[in-house]
Amino acid sequence: MNFESDNASPVAPEVIEAIARENAGPASGYGADATTERFSRRLTELFEHEVAAFLVPTGTAANALALAHCTPPWGAIYCHAQAHINADECGAPEFFSNGAKLVPVPGEHGKLTPAAVAATLGDIRAADQHRVVPSVLSLTQSTEAGTVYRAAEVAALADLAHRHHLAAHMDGARFANAVAALDCAPADITWRAGIDVLAFGVTKVGAVGAEAILFFDAARAADFVYRRKRAGHLLSRMRFVAAQFEAVLADGLWLRLARHANAMAARLAAGIAAAPGAALLHPTEANEVFA
Amino acid sequence: MNFESDNASPVAPEVIEAIARENAGPASGYGADATTERFSRRLTELFEHEVAAFLVPTGTAANALALAHCTPPWGAIYCHAQAHINADECGAPEFFSNGAKLVPVPGEHGKLTPAAVAATLGDIRAADQHRVVPSVLSLTQSTEAGTVYRAAEVAALADLAHRHHLAAHMDGARFANAVAALDCAPADITWRAGIDVLAFGVTKVGAVGAEAILFFDAARAADFVYRRKRAGHLLSRMRFVAAQFEAVLADGLWLRLARHANAMAARLAAGIAAAPGAALLHPTEANEVFA
Amino acid sequence: MNFESDNASPVAPEVIEAIARENAGPASGYGADATTERFSRRLTELFEHEVAAFLVPTGTAANALALAHCTPPWGAIYCHAQAHINADECGAPEFFSNGAKLVPVPGEHGKLTPAAVAATLGDIRAADQHRVVPSVLSLTQSTEAGTVYRAAEVAALADLAHRHHLAAHMDGARFANAVAALDCAPADITWRAGIDVLAFGVTKVGAVGAEAILFFDAARAADFVYRRKRAGHLLSRMRFVAAQFEAVLADGLWLRLARHANAMAARLAAGIAAAPGAALLHPTEANEVFA
Amino acid sequence: MNFESDNASPVAPEVIEAIARENAGPASGYGADATTERFSRRLTELFEHEVAAFLVPTGTAANALALAHCTPPWGAIYCHAQAHINADECGAPEFFSNGAKLVPVPGEHGKLTPAAVAATLGDIRAADQHRVVPSVLSLTQSTEAGTVYRAAEVAALADLAHRHHLAAHMDGARFANAVAALDCAPADITWRAGIDVLAFGVTKVGAVGAEAILFFDAARAADFVYRRKRAGHLLSRMRFVAAQFEAVLADGLWLRLARHANAMAARLAAGIAAAPGAALLHPTEANEVFA
């Protein structure tokens, strides 16, 4: 057993099989192929909404490209102080956005509250050329602390964001674990709750490397292909990424894997909580345990 | 049969097998695993020289990251006017380098000559704060026109570069085809000929997506890991990229595949040349045919 | 006498007087003062059109900020190969635009022609994610070779630009010399001829340092104040720049100075042309002489 | 009387006179003139140390260019949460550095303490490719709250910075007020206390627009001229900036003006403190009063 991270485990056998199957014949490169096309339709079905979807190989790329497309360089991105985009991506959002500012917001157990966001936003005066312009609010679902936002919590935050003309971004590197924990529809905690753009990753739940940026309003995605290409994230054999994603989504595999991971985390957490002298730092609501 | 591009064909079965094999058990993420370690040693062996090697998923990323690490933002990168980095990467080198300038150099059949490079360099005055600073000379091997630089040609260009304090970069997206065509050691057309940094890709020769940046002087690679991470090109399951690369290099597979591709291109070229009313734009020395 | 450059000469005494006069009392900083306000109105009058005007201290800043506001990072800016923005600003447009590409267009005597621009544009395929997007056409008026575009020439180039969805930019570091040479209204060679944004400098004609970016459609100027501030080009004592500009424009001083400079250049050119063994590289139409 | 900001007041008459005097004859542009040369020697004398000095027109440019030259894009700049570079420059340091991260440090009355900096630094693990690299510690002297660092306080902070391999930067937009308040030598609170680079401004104390970046180790300044030019901050008539700076430094004018401003602020603060129902937010040690 390896408790290091969800990246350290082997991937789902179904993913390897899909990669092998995808290799049966030739197909056009750079996403102009049937598998990628089918994957896009599958997402629209899964989210019960038209989406403009773009595949990339890493979660850092998915977040940073999405954020850069939602902020001007003189914008500010509000996120939890421990958010992966702020603390663990070596400044990727700043690089991709040409220097937008990440503004850390405090919050217990990795979660933002409307009150905390509003308090931080309050420091920024409106229409002042000396200050960066609040542009994006970013949530992580499930969070870096292993907790989960309920649909109503997402909606309250997205609503606050929209009232201040910020886009609502969700870092969904562990989106599957949140959907499994909440037993909800993917739509419930994304566009129906006001999320504008989702970085939806299935690498952590069982793919080799498959992440998608989903814009729920296609107008927001204008010119995004150039941004992706210029960042070196347009894979020539894109269809192998689409095939992985498709395999993970097929027959609810992603949710079965996520439920299993959540259950194992819960069991581990219960064990730790019961151990003398040990304590959990955060409630275990998804698949991460912090002791 | 599909003549579109080398990206459209299926990958080598050995690559799929290697991916499946790699999935046997857990391993640390982000390149801190045995397969990636073994791959690095394999490269050192193959190139008969210590190399600092970094895996990324695309050739655009490999080139743009390598170039950005060899030029300041106020630098100039000299390359063939039709070079992929200039014409087909949507400005990736400019993005990664924070705005370095690509200076196109003319040349027949996709090849640079010392005379042409010297003539273009001559336009830049030394130590003038109003002008960008010549920083990198980039060659493509095999070239965008399907031709190949001989070792002596590489050496003459790299020597010119070094006399003007430019780093010598090689875009090796089709490096295998050049090595196969020249029947030389990889070292002969890289560090022995003065190349400082090589973007060595095996995607086009048969991997799903596996490219490596090779610095032949480790000092040049200082801090490169930050540049890669911040660009979203550090894959969490890096070992699957290393496994692909390893499979392609094993038992000379890459050269067998490249020789086959070169031979097929030669046969196609011969057919076209013999056809009435048809003509080849460039000599067919590797695996690309332009009619 | 000093033939070095127009920057080497003293400035107009009226400019020094205006600076001294401006110092009579306090005023709000950062452009929120009466002099800057009056200057903006004066420009609207001079150009016979509403303009959104922004003062900066250098021509490089004026050009680079204007260009960056008209192109996405993945855009291409077409300009003469010898254009100051391409050859003499150390990559400023690339820096401000986060890596847009400058595409040099050949042309005699520093001038672009619709045919040459169209030929260069033709190399770029439409809507191809692998290629940068043509975004701006930049003219220099008067040109780096000391020649001048007639109003109809500007109109033909701007029209070509607009048909390809490019913005039309004019580098007017020597705008006064062109207006004086053509004896036309400033509007005739700018918005009436299709120019969208003008970098209008009066430093070379007699100010210490006063340049303005003029957008002829205010919608294009949205958020420009942030771009300027973040580049360090919002002067706290802005009114002293406005006062200089106002002094140069007052009573047609700028055109008297430009006519004088043009006449001196013409006299010098005539002398050179008459000298045995000497020849002019370009026709002398404004205030620069190349022998 | 105008209490708005030090930028709103007229400039020193000596500055206007120097500008007029500078206009007596021609001189080379871009800083290759006798006045700029003399100014550089004057700084060396004033700081009792060789300095590499670069003039720019604004404090934002001085700070952002200096910081960008001391950090890689993947670096982190530690500064007070209310530091001008963090809160009032619209992201200029992020823009100039290509996306370095500003890390706000809390502190009473605008001042950093070694303990607070160490606590914030502690969050960053060494040599971790997922995290930005701590690169610069920035102090403001006098601070945004109108307080002043004693020489020993500067030394303790710079020493902490150097032990962690950070450069020590000082934002000296109100440097004169600090020197006047402390009655010390400029060297005492800069290089003698470990400061590596100083943004020394005299705009606020009485110039139209004159700021200098001072590197106390010339090796740090390598290639800085390219960075300045490419940012549009190399003025063609640079000598007029040098002349202003020289006039402010002549015969101790800068310190007389700063002492006067400090004394007026102290008087105002005393009046406010004595007023019923009023209170000062911060001690008034320089020329800013916060009630």
PDB file of all heavy atoms in Angstrom, chain A residues 113-133:
ATOM      1  N   THR A 113     -15.647  30.959   2.279  1.00  0.00           N
ATOM      2  CA  THR A 113     -17.024  31.339   2.592  1.00  0.00           C
ATOM      3  C   THR A 113     -17.293  32.684   1.924  1.00  0.00           C
ATOM      4  O   THR A 113     -16.369  33.469   1.717  1.00  0.00           O
ATOM      5  CB  THR A 113     -17.233  31.501   4.101  1.00  0.00           C
ATOM      6  OG1 THR A 113     -16.347  32.539   4.570  1.00  0.00           O
ATOM      7  CG2 THR A 113     -16.944  30.211   4.849  1.00  0.00           C
ATOM      8  N   PRO A 114     -18.551  32.948   1.608  1.00  0.00           N
ATOM      9  CA  PRO A 114     -18.867  34.258   1.029  1.00  0.00           C
ATOM     10  C   PRO A 114     -18.382  35.398   1.920  1.00  0.00           C
ATOM     11  O   PRO A 114     -17.892  36.411   1.413  1.00  0.00           O
ATOM     12  CB  PRO A 114     -20.395  34.228   0.919  1.00  0.00           C
ATOM     13  CG  PRO A 114     -20.723  32.771   0.753  1.00  0.00           C
ATOM     14  CD  PRO A 114     -19.725  32.049   1.615  1.00  0.00           C
ATOM     15  N   ALA A 115     -18.479  35.233   3.219  1.00  0.00           N
ATOM     16  CA  ALA A 115     -18.052  36.315   4.111  1.00  0.00           C
ATOM     17  C   ALA A 115     -16.558  36.588   3.972  1.00  0.00           C
ATOM     18  O   ALA A 115     -16.130  37.746   3.905  1.00  0.00           O
ATOM     19  CB  ALA A 115     -18.392  35.951   5.559  1.00  0.00           C
ATOM     20  N   ALA A 116     -15.778  35.518   3.916  1.00  0.00           N
ATOM     21  CA  ALA A 116     -14.322  35.706   3.812  1.00  0.00           C
ATOM     22  C   ALA A 116     -13.946  36.307   2.464  1.00  0.00           C
ATOM     23  O   ALA A 116     -13.067  37.176   2.373  1.00  0.00           O
ATOM     24  CB  ALA A 116     -13.604  34.364   4.008  1.00  0.00           C
ATOM     25  N   VAL A 117     -14.610  35.856   1.412  1.00  0.00           N
ATOM     26  CA  VAL A 117     -14.317  36.412   0.088  1.00  0.00           C
ATOM     27  C   VAL A 117     -14.718  37.881   0.045  1.00  0.00           C
ATOM     28  O   VAL A 117     -13.965  38.736  -0.438  1.00  0.00           O
ATOM     29  CB  VAL A 117     -15.040  35.618  -1.023  1.00  0.00           C
ATOM     30  CG1 VAL A 117     -14.864  36.293  -2.374  1.00  0.00           C
ATOM     31  CG2 VAL A 117     -14.529  34.179  -1.062  1.00  0.00           C
ATOM     32  N   ALA A 118     -15.892  38.175   0.572  1.00  0.00           N
ATOM     33  CA  ALA A 118     -16.368  39.565   0.554  1.00  0.00           C
ATOM     34  C   ALA A 118     -15.428  40.457   1.338  1.00  0.00           C
ATOM     35  O   ALA A 118     -15.143  41.596   0.935  1.00  0.00           O
ATOM     36  CB  ALA A 118     -17.791  39.640   1.118  1.00  0.00           C
ATOM     37  N   ALA A 119     -14.943  39.965   2.457  1.00  0.00           N
ATOM     38  CA  ALA A 119     -14.033  40.772   3.271  1.00  0.00           C
ATOM     39  C   ALA A 119     -12.747  41.071   2.501  1.00  0.00           C
ATOM     40  O   ALA A 119     -12.234  42.194   2.535  1.00  0.00           O
ATOM     41  CB  ALA A 119     -13.706  40.045   4.574  1.00  0.00           C
ATOM     42  N   THR A 120     -12.247  40.099   1.786  1.00  0.00           N
ATOM     43  CA  THR A 120     -11.015  40.318   1.023  1.00  0.00           C
ATOM     44  C   THR A 120     -11.278  41.218  -0.175  1.00  0.00           C
ATOM     45  O   THR A 120     -10.501  42.130  -0.472  1.00  0.00           O
ATOM     46  CB  THR A 120     -10.429  38.961   0.559  1.00  0.00           C
ATOM     47  OG1 THR A 120     -10.358  38.091   1.683  1.00  0.00           O
ATOM     48  CG2 THR A 120      -9.037  39.142  -0.011  1.00  0.00           C
ATOM     49  N   LEU A 121     -12.368  40.986  -0.858  1.00  0.00           N
ATOM     50  CA  LEU A 121     -12.740  41.842  -1.985  1.00  0.00           C
ATOM     51  C   LEU A 121     -12.884  43.298  -1.540  1.00  0.00           C
ATOM     52  O   LEU A 121     -12.563  44.218  -2.294  1.00  0.00           O
ATOM     53  CB  LEU A 121     -14.075  41.392  -2.576  1.00  0.00           C
ATOM     54  CG  LEU A 121     -14.030  40.325  -3.645  1.00  0.00           C
ATOM     55  CD1 LEU A 121     -15.434  39.825  -3.930  1.00  0.00           C
ATOM     56  CD2 LEU A 121     -13.391  40.842  -4.922  1.00  0.00           C
ATOM     57  N   GLY A 122     -13.367  43.478  -0.334  1.00  0.00           N
ATOM     58  CA  GLY A 122     -13.607  44.829   0.163  1.00  0.00           C
ATOM     59  C   GLY A 122     -12.379  45.694   0.172  1.00  0.00           C
ATOM     60  O   GLY A 122     -12.467  46.922   0.126  1.00  0.00           O
ATOM     61  N   ASP A 123     -11.220  45.089   0.175  1.00  0.00           N
ATOM     62  CA  ASP A 123      -9.978  45.854   0.172  1.00  0.00           C
ATOM     63  C   ASP A 123      -9.704  46.525  -1.167  1.00  0.00           C
ATOM     64  O   ASP A 123      -8.831  47.368  -1.267  1.00  0.00           O
ATOM     65  CB  ASP A 123      -8.788  44.938   0.492  1.00  0.00           C
ATOM     66  CG  ASP A 123      -8.759  44.564   1.953  1.00  0.00           C
ATOM     67  OD1 ASP A 123      -9.267  45.351   2.771  1.00  0.00           O
ATOM     68  OD2 ASP A 123      -8.234  43.494   2.271  1.00  0.00           O
ATOM     69  N   ILE A 124     -10.382  46.090  -2.193  1.00  0.00           N
ATOM     70  CA  ILE A 124     -10.121  46.597  -3.543  1.00  0.00           C
ATOM     71  C   ILE A 124     -11.166  47.663  -3.884  1.00  0.00           C
ATOM     72  O   ILE A 124     -12.358  47.390  -3.866  1.00  0.00           O
ATOM     73  CB  ILE A 124     -10.208  45.443  -4.566  1.00  0.00           C
ATOM     74  CG1 ILE A 124      -9.233  44.320  -4.200  1.00  0.00           C
ATOM     75  CG2 ILE A 124      -9.979  45.930  -5.992  1.00  0.00           C
ATOM     76  CD1 ILE A 124      -7.787  44.583  -4.503  1.00  0.00           C
ATOM     77  N   ARG A 125     -10.687  48.853  -4.193  1.00  0.00           N
ATOM     78  CA  ARG A 125     -11.610  49.928  -4.576  1.00  0.00           C
ATOM     79  C   ARG A 125     -12.015  49.739  -6.033  1.00  0.00           C
ATOM     80  O   ARG A 125     -11.250  49.224  -6.839  1.00  0.00           O
ATOM     81  CB  ARG A 125     -10.929  51.281  -4.434  1.00  0.00           C
ATOM     82  CG  ARG A 125     -10.568  51.635  -2.997  1.00  0.00           C
ATOM     83  CD  ARG A 125     -10.034  53.054  -2.929  1.00  0.00           C
ATOM     84  NE  ARG A 125      -8.784  53.158  -3.663  1.00  0.00           N
ATOM     85  CZ  ARG A 125      -7.583  53.354  -3.105  1.00  0.00           C
ATOM     86  NH1 ARG A 125      -7.477  53.441  -1.798  1.00  0.00           N
ATOM     87  NH2 ARG A 125      -6.507  53.457  -3.833  1.00  0.00           N
ATOM     88  N   ALA A 126     -13.203  50.196  -6.362  1.00  0.00           N
ATOM     89  CA  ALA A 126     -13.693  50.027  -7.740  1.00  0.00           C
ATOM     90  C   ALA A 126     -12.987  50.992  -8.676  1.00  0.00           C
ATOM     91  O   ALA A 126     -12.683  52.125  -8.317  1.00  0.00           O
ATOM     92  CB  ALA A 126     -15.195  50.257  -7.777  1.00  0.00           C
ATOM     93  N   ALA A 127     -12.702  50.519  -9.905  1.00  0.00           N
ATOM     94  CA  ALA A 127     -12.258  51.390 -10.993  1.00  0.00           C
ATOM     95  C   ALA A 127     -11.117  52.304 -10.592  1.00  0.00           C
ATOM     96  O   ALA A 127     -11.181  53.514 -10.727  1.00  0.00           O
ATOM     97  CB  ALA A 127     -13.440  52.211 -11.516  1.00  0.00           C
ATOM     98  N   ASP A 128     -10.081  51.733 -10.061  1.00  0.00           N
ATOM     99  CA  ASP A 128      -8.911  52.502  -9.633  1.00  0.00           C
ATOM    100  C   ASP A 128      -7.714  51.980 -10.409  1.00  0.00           C
ATOM    101  O   ASP A 128      -7.311  50.828 -10.263  1.00  0.00           O
ATOM    102  CB  ASP A 128      -8.724  52.297  -8.127  1.00  0.00           C
ATOM    103  CG  ASP A 128      -7.460  52.954  -7.609  1.00  0.00           C
ATOM    104  OD1 ASP A 128      -6.635  53.424  -8.421  1.00  0.00           O
ATOM    105  OD2 ASP A 128      -7.300  52.994  -6.383  1.00  0.00           O
ATOM    106  N   GLN A 129      -7.149  52.832 -11.247  1.00  0.00           N
ATOM    107  CA  GLN A 129      -6.074  52.354 -12.128  1.00  0.00           C
ATOM    108  C   GLN A 129      -4.822  51.908 -11.376  1.00  0.00           C
ATOM    109  O   GLN A 129      -3.957  51.266 -11.966  1.00  0.00           O
ATOM    110  CB  GLN A 129      -5.723  53.439 -13.145  1.00  0.00           C
ATOM    111  CG  GLN A 129      -5.205  54.723 -12.527  1.00  0.00           C
ATOM    112  CD  GLN A 129      -4.948  55.812 -13.570  1.00  0.00           C
ATOM    113  OE1 GLN A 129      -4.534  55.538 -14.686  1.00  0.00           O
ATOM    114  NE2 GLN A 129      -5.191  57.046 -13.197  1.00  0.00           N
ATOM    115  N   HIS A 130      -4.745  52.226 -10.087  1.00  0.00           N
ATOM    116  CA  HIS A 130      -3.575  51.799  -9.303  1.00  0.00           C
ATOM    117  C   HIS A 130      -3.716  50.373  -8.769  1.00  0.00           C
ATOM    118  O   HIS A 130      -2.764  49.824  -8.230  1.00  0.00           O
ATOM    119  CB  HIS A 130      -3.351  52.755  -8.134  1.00  0.00           C
ATOM    120  CG  HIS A 130      -3.102  54.161  -8.559  1.00  0.00           C
ATOM    121  ND1 HIS A 130      -1.850  54.652  -8.775  1.00  0.00           N
ATOM    122  CD2 HIS A 130      -3.954  55.169  -8.857  1.00  0.00           C
ATOM    123  CE1 HIS A 130      -1.928  55.916  -9.166  1.00  0.00           C
ATOM    124  NE2 HIS A 130      -3.198  56.253  -9.222  1.00  0.00           N
ATOM    125  N   ARG A 131      -4.924  49.821  -8.887  1.00  0.00           N
ATOM    126  CA  ARG A 131      -5.184  48.511  -8.297  1.00  0.00           C
ATOM    127  C   ARG A 131      -5.527  47.483  -9.366  1.00  0.00           C
ATOM    128  O   ARG A 131      -6.160  47.816 -10.366  1.00  0.00           O
ATOM    129  CB  ARG A 131      -6.411  48.611  -7.342  1.00  0.00           C
ATOM    130  CG  ARG A 131      -6.256  49.634  -6.239  1.00  0.00           C
ATOM    131  CD  ARG A 131      -5.405  49.082  -5.133  1.00  0.00           C
ATOM    132  NE  ARG A 131      -5.225  50.064  -4.076  1.00  0.00           N
ATOM    133  CZ  ARG A 131      -5.765  49.976  -2.871  1.00  0.00           C
ATOM    134  NH1 ARG A 131      -6.506  48.934  -2.561  1.00  0.00           N
ATOM    135  NH2 ARG A 131      -5.544  50.900  -1.965  1.00  0.00           N
ATOM    136  N   VAL A 132      -5.169  46.244  -9.102  1.00  0.00           N
ATOM    137  CA  VAL A 132      -5.597  45.176  -9.996  1.00  0.00           C
ATOM    138  C   VAL A 132      -7.115  45.011  -9.911  1.00  0.00           C
ATOM    139  O   VAL A 132      -7.731  45.382  -8.910  1.00  0.00           O
ATOM    140  CB  VAL A 132      -4.892  43.844  -9.657  1.00  0.00           C
ATOM    141  CG1 VAL A 132      -3.411  43.923 -10.035  1.00  0.00           C
ATOM    142  CG2 VAL A 132      -5.044  43.479  -8.192  1.00  0.00           C
ATOM    143  N   VAL A 133      -7.694  44.455 -10.956  1.00  0.00           N
ATOM    144  CA  VAL A 133      -9.146  44.348 -11.081  1.00  0.00           C
ATOM    145  C   VAL A 133      -9.597  42.936 -10.690  1.00  0.00           C
ATOM    146  O   VAL A 133      -9.172  41.959 -11.315  1.00  0.00           O
ATOM    147  CB  VAL A 133      -9.571  44.630 -12.541  1.00  0.00           C
ATOM    148  CG1 VAL A 133     -11.075  44.510 -12.699  1.00  0.00           C
ATOM    149  CG2 VAL A 133      -9.080  45.998 -12.985  1.00  0.00           C
TER     150      VAL A 133
END
